[in-house]
């Protein structure tokens, strides 16, 4: 069975775009692959969180992914910093990662521009740490969005370089995971574009009903159809798209029909959409809260993941040390 590795940054909460995107992919992959999913807390240190924030964020993200369906019986779910082998492999890979190539990485250049007062070495070597995350489990596949493609390219380069230096096909060269059918992209409620954290237009799984109602009622629409069967504007189509994932098919058909015959009232559409989002997210929100509060369960999940991940990582480190020439006397 092929191995998949993916890291989850412990920043922010899951919104519907994440839920129908990355999370859905994880849920499919955990059934068919040997999956390692981890919370990337080493990576998050580049922004210098307080100890309380760091721990709280890791716990929140873990609770949200578990509530959304990540299954510790199927996938190995762990905390990156529980695997010091990753730090060791990073150090070793750093010796063959060159300043020039690290400085040329788009994400480094972006970060250096965004936070000119904190251009630390961790930012520069971020792709090396990510490579260590991936190859420590000999991953063949990595699910990556557009923003991580270059980092995966670096991983492939570092893995191939290691193999070349030590003259062994030791690390597989990981491929981007290719999802057969196209995923539904969840749009925002602000008229155009996707739902995203940085866009500030997220409908979050943890949003309380009152918050969801408020956000949906403020959604951008248009001035309404003036002739039958006219083309649906982007803003209204976005509401239909969200409806297509949270509402009953009849509900969507009903409002599309009303649009087509020009009798639609956007207030009614929004009210219905808000209620359907609430019905959809309510059980997940309750689960997030329950898991977040369940110290014993979280501890069990984390320990189980740590043990499984450690088994894989420690074998790699043992072999890498031997290959490099750290041999016992
Ligand atoms: N860099 C990824 C992000 O920002 C998170 C990540 C860290 C990751 N290590 C990884 C993703 C390894 C895939 C594989 O989203």
């Amino acid at each position: 069975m092929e191995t998949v590795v993916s890291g989850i940054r412990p920043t922010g909460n899951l919104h519907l775009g994440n839920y129908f995107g990355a999370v859905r992919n994880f849920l499919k992959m955990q059934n068919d692959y040997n999956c390692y999913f981890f919370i990337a807390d080493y990576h998050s240190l580049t922004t210098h969180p307080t100890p309380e924030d760091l721990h709280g964020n890791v716990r929140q993200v873990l609770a949200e992914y578990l509530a959304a369906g990540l299954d510790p019986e199927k996938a190995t779910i762990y905390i990156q910093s529980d695997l010091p082998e990753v730090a060791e492999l990073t150090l070793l890979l750093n010796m063959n990662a060159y300043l020039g190539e690290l400085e040329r990485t788009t994400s480094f250049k972006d970060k250096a521009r965004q936070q000119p007062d904190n251009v630390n070495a961790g930012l520069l070597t971020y792709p090396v740490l990510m490579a260590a995350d991936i190859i420590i489990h000999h991953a063949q596949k990595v699910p990556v969005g557009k923003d991580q493609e270059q980092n995966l390219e670096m991983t492939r380069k570092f893995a191939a370089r290691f193999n070349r230096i030590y003259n062994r096909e030791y690390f597989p060269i990981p491929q981007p995971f290719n999802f057969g059918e196209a995923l539904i992209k969840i749009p925002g409620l602000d008229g155009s574009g996707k739902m995203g954290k940085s866009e500030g237009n997220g409908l979050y799984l943890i949003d309380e009903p009152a918050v969801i109602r408020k956000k949906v009622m403020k959604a951008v629409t248009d001035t309404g159809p003036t002739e039958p069967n006219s083309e649906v504007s982007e803003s209204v189509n976005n509401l239909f798209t969200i409806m297509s994932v949270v509402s009953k098919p009849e509900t969507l058909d009903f409002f599309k029909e009303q649009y087509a015959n020009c009798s639609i009232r956007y207030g009614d559409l929004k009210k219905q959409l808000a209620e359907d989002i609430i019905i959809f997210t309510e059980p997940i929100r309750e689960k997030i809260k329950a898991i977040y509060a369940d110290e014993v369960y979280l501890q069990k999940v984390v320990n189980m993941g740590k043990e499984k991940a450690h088994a894989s990582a420690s074998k790699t480190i043992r072999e890498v040390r031997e290959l490099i020439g750290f041999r016992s006397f």
Side-chain angles (χ1 to χ4, degrees):
M1 204 196 309
E2 282 188 316
T3 295
V4 169
V5 168
S6 191
I8 300 161
R9 258 172 307 162
T11 49
N13 303 97
L14 286 173
H15 53 64
L16 287 180
N18 301 132
Y19 184 81
F20 289 101
V23 175
R24 276 288 150 98
N25 290 337
F26 283 1
L27 301 192
K28 278 190 244 161
M29 289 184 293
Q30 71 181 357
N31 290 319
D32 303 327
Y33 296 88
N34 177 29
C35 289
Y36 292 89
F37 299 135
F38 64 93
I39 313 290
D41 58 349
Y42 278 147
H43 277 111
S44 73
L45 292 184
T46 56
T47 55
H48 303 166
T50 65
E52 289 69 31
D53 282 351
L54 178 61
H55 182 72
N57 291 343
V58 168
R59 182 163 169 168
Q60 180 69 28
V61 167
L62 183 62
E64 294 201 7
Y65 274 82
L66 291 169
L70 277 209
D71 184 348
E73 301 291 335
K74 295 178 179 169
T76 301
I77 301 166
Y78 65 98
I79 312 294
Q80 184 185 32
S81 62
D82 273 341
L83 230 55
E85 293 90 342
V86 168
E88 181 171 352
L89 184 56
T90 302
L91 180 144
L92 300 173
L93 293 174
N94 266 340
M95 305 304 168
N96 296 295
Y98 291 93
L99 184 58
E101 62 190 346
L102 295 172
E103 281 176 337
R104 278 194 301 277
T105 313
T106 317
S107 50
F108 174 71
K109 289 194 287 189
D110 287 347
K111 280 281 180 321
R113 213 175 308 119
Q114 290 160 12
Q115 45 184 76
D117 298 333
N118 182 22
V119 187
N120 60 65
L123 273 182
L124 185 70
T125 58
Y126 187 109
V128 188
L129 177 54
M130 182 158 156
D133 291 328
I134 294 168
I135 68 180
I136 201 147
H137 301 302
H138 292 253
Q140 279 99 358
K141 294 235 154 74
V142 182
V144 285
K146 264 260 161 285
D147 64 323
Q148 296 297 314
E149 275 172 5
Q150 192 179 28
N151 281 337
L152 182 60
E153 211 37 66
M154 305 283 279
T155 299
R156 292 162 54 82
K157 200 192 271 189
F158 297 141
R161 193 173 288 165
F162 183 96
N163 290 349
R164 197 165 349 95
I165 294 171
Y166 297 104
N167 199 22
R168 282 271 298 276
E169 290 305 308
Y170 180 68
F171 288 119
I173 309 302
Q175 306 284 332
F177 199 105
N178 212 335
F179 295 94
E181 81 260 48
L183 281 166
I184 305 174
K185 280 249 181 321
I186 303 298
L189 295 172
D190 40 5
S192 66
K194 67 172 180 130
M195 185 178 290
K197 182 167 86 115
S198 42
E199 285 77 5
N201 60 7
L203 287 162
Y204 291 89
L205 295 177
I206 52 147
D207 281 346
E208 297 291 337
V211 174
I212 293 175
R213 286 193 191 103
K214 200 163 147 207
K215 287 181 177 175
V216 174
M217 294 317 283
K218 279 204 313 215
V220 174
T221 53
D222 56 23
T223 51
T226 48
E227 52 187 274
N229 301 313
S230 52
E231 206 185 313
V232 182
S233 69
E234 188 181 358
S235 59
V236 174
N237 199 43
N238 286 348
L239 301 188
F240 285 157
T241 301
I242 299 177
M243 202 167 230
S244 77
V245 296
V246 296
S247 304
K248 296 201 182 89
E250 307 89 86
T251 308
L252 179 61
D253 291 345
F254 173 80
F255 284 103
K256 282 194 164 170
E257 175 61 36
Q258 285 207 325
Y259 189 94
N261 65 28
C262 305
S263 67
I264 193 160
R265 287 168 44 175
Y266 292 141
D268 295 343
L269 169 71
K270 288 176 176 181
K271 269 193 200 124
Q272 180 73 44
L273 179 61
E275 294 317 305
D276 288 343
I277 293 171
I278 291 165
I279 291 170
F280 184 86
T281 52
E282 184 100 69
I284 309 175
R285 182 168 57 255
E286 292 307 316
K287 222 164 156 184
I288 292 171
K289 287 187 197 156
I291 293 176
Y292 187 87
D294 192 343
E295 204 92 40
V296 175
Y297 176 69
L298 284 174
Q299 213 173 73
K300 197 180 112 191
V301 168
V302 165
N303 282 336
M304 206 165 96
K306 177 175 166 175
E307 209 170 291
K308 286 199 273 179
H310 178 71
S312 156
S314 63
K315 177 169 183 286
T316 303
I317 284 296
R318 213 179 318 118
E319 292 167 352
V320 163
R321 292 180 67 103
E322 178 72 24
L323 282 172
I324 287 181
F326 295 138
R327 292 174 191 160
S328 45
F329 285 91

